[in-house]
Amino acid sequence: MQIRRRRLFVSMPRNPAVTNARTVRCPACGGPSLYTPANPWRPFCGQRCKQQDLGDWASERFRVQVQEPDGAEDEPPADNGSFKATLNKPA
């Protein structure tokens, strides 16, 4: 029984603009990825990695921490009434 292994490689097109492209590490799998407009999934190596990353953000596995200034949680937002006035103007 013979086991086939997947080869991970980046094929370089013969287009001179793409040939000089920088190869970066894919944020999802760590594999090589071309950082060029010719790669529609940039900076990811492929559609699967891009979709996996999007799913991680959608499921809130990734989060951006927000630091509130001291005392900002205690005070309600200022309401000067200008927004309500623009909504109630006659047309």
Side-chain angles (χ1 to χ4, degrees), residues 28-90:
C29 71
S33 174
L34 285 177
Y35 196 79
T36 176
N39 179 3
W41 304 290
R42 173 183 72 217
F44 302 97
C45 62
Q47 184 177 11
R48 179 176 179 239
C49 286
K50 186 173 184 177
Q51 292 297 325
Q52 181 182 2
D53 185 73
L54 177 63
D56 289 341
W57 282 103
S59 67
E60 295 184 358
R61 196 169 300 147
F62 296 147
R63 297 180 186 164
V64 177
Q65 295 288 332
V66 177
Q67 294 180 353
E68 297 285 334
D70 291 340
E73 296 174 5
D74 301 334
E75 300 174 16
D79 183 16
N80 58 8
S82 63
F83 183 68
K84 291 178 185 176
T86 57
L87 292 177
N88 296 329
K89 285 184 180 178

Side-chain angles (χ1 to χ4, degrees), residues 4 8 53:
R4 290 186 178 190
L8 296 176
D53 185 73

